[in-house]
Amino acid sequence: MTQPVRAGSAEPAALPTALIVAGPTTSGKSALALAIAERFGGTVINADAMQCYRELRVITARPTPEDEARAPHALYGVLPAAQPGHVAWWREAALAEMARSPLPILCGGTGMYLRALTQGLSALPEVAEEARAEARSLLAELGPAGLHARLHAEDAGLRPSDSQRIARAYEVWRSTGRSLVSWQREAPALPPAPYRFRAILIDPPREALRRAIEERWAAMMTGGAVEEVAELLRQGLDPALPAMRAHGVPELAAMLRGEIPEAEASRRAIANTAAYTKRQATWFRHQALVEPRSAHRIDARIAGLEQFSERNNPELFAFLHEAVDAPQHGS
């Protein structure tokens, strides 16, 4: 069932429209974004931090070559695993792709990437190389919880398990003497992107997501995930790199090293992904990407494109027609 959200809000009429399709992993974002792109003539632009990596097509469930042939796609598999992506890089790349599309459709579950477009991006300092090296060394030695304990008190809100953000907070503090949170509280260095954003937020029940995670994992295991991770490991990359922490990679890496059997690797990967989808869903419920009138919620998983019809889902289509058919660029 869909739940349109409406409230008044003023915005410049001349801005072009950009559509966001967001929600937790396995909620059906990619299928919905593709259907919208085909129906309304848009480009699906990746807003998932892990689907940016070239080597991780299977393990991150990137769109298939067949899907990519049905409508334009951008920013999928564009970075080598050895090159860490980050929010400022993604924002700049996304804006370049958006400028080339009559209807940009930003699809993904990395909330901070999407928020960097809709709300702007805070100024963050350059960090010293020695501080970055120290953070990685301590992360390897102490683990994320141990490094978290060394952070400035203002950074206490970071999750002790979020190794990437903890390392980033530590290197910022060592380089500047100020906490990451204090930098982020400053006015955005980059303003909100000049678009009229409309968002479709998919929020299925947890049980539906859990079943979908289990089904997707089984398909990955028969579809080349083990071979993909083995090839990644042959590069000898730093285990702290984001690509090395994509869901399923640490678990299959441990299996390939002979540390755990396949059944345990699968159990851990499914459990870790399920925990992540819970955090994603909570984030999207409490972090407004757009004004309430500009959002449309769907409380069921998009399991098949047969759901994408005006007869089956008139509220969604009314929302899409309002977003896509509204005057743009002052026309």
Side-chain angles (χ1 to χ4, degrees), residues 24-293:
T25 296
T26 70
S27 60
K29 301 182 297 295
S30 296
L32 180 57
L34 174 57
I36 294 171
E38 287 189 299
R39 174 68 180 268
F40 293 95
T43 300
V44 182
I45 300 173
N46 174 39
D48 182 288
M50 294 303 165
Q51 289 187 337
C52 291
Y53 293 111
R54 188 176 304 148
E55 295 92 333
L56 303 183
R57 177 181 286 277
V58 176
I59 205 74
T60 64
R62 270 183 13 219
T64 65
E66 292 75 20
D67 288 342
E68 292 176 331
R70 288 168 55 187
H73 285 66
L75 300 187
Y76 290 94
V78 295
L79 288 179
Q83 180 181 337
H86 53 82
V87 64
W89 162 80
W90 179 85
R91 184 184 193 271
E92 182 178 359
L95 285 171
E97 296 294 344
M98 292 166 72
R100 288 190 276 267
S101 175
L103 177 63
I105 303 168
L106 299 142
C107 176
T110 303
M112 67 176 179
Y113 279 18
L114 294 166
R115 190 169 60 185
L117 285 178
T118 64
Q119 298 180 20
L121 189 61
S122 298
L124 288 177
E126 292 294 324
V127 299
E129 187 56 43
E130 56 268 25
R132 181 174 288 112
E134 181 179 336
R136 289 191 178 185
S137 174
L138 287 172
L139 186 63
E141 177 186 347
L142 304 174
L147 186 55
H148 180 269
R150 295 196 178 193
L151 286 176
H152 192 281
E154 288 188 66
D155 282 322
L158 294 176
R159 293 196 313 275
S161 60
D162 192 341
S163 57
Q164 185 174 0
R165 293 200 68 201
I166 289 168
R168 177 63 170 158
Y170 184 84
E171 64 191 32
V172 167
W173 172 69
R174 287 288 286 120
S175 296
T176 69
R178 290 174 55 188
S179 72
L180 178 63
V181 168
S182 72
W183 282 99
Q184 291 173 333
R185 283 176 182 155
E186 294 188 352
L190 297 172
Y195 282 83
R196 176 178 173 268
F197 286 102
R198 297 292 182 263
I200 298 171
L201 305 175
I202 309 175
D203 188 15
R206 288 183 62 192
E207 307 79 48
L209 289 177
R210 178 74 184 213
R211 288 194 300 272
I213 291 166
E214 292 172 350
E215 292 169 2
R216 176 179 288 183
W217 182 257
M220 287 176 174
M221 290 296 284
T222 60
V226 174
E227 294 79 4
E228 188 172 83
V229 173
E231 184 64 29
L232 182 67
L233 293 177
R234 280 193 279 273
Q235 295 187 41
L237 299 176
D238 183 342
L241 285 167
M244 299 299 292
R245 300 195 305 274
H247 292 294
V249 171
E251 294 85 357
L252 290 182
M255 183 194 80
L256 288 166
R257 291 192 296 265
E259 298 169 3
I260 56 175
E262 179 179 319
E264 177 62 12
S266 294
R267 186 196 68 78
R268 291 184 189 181
I270 291 168
N272 290 337
T273 305
Y276 177 64
T277 60
K278 181 181 178 182
R279 295 195 299 271
Q280 282 180 300
T282 300
W283 193 95
F284 282 115
R285 287 184 201 125
H286 296 96
Q287 299 287 332
L289 290 171
V290 296
E291 293 288 336
R293 69 168 294 277

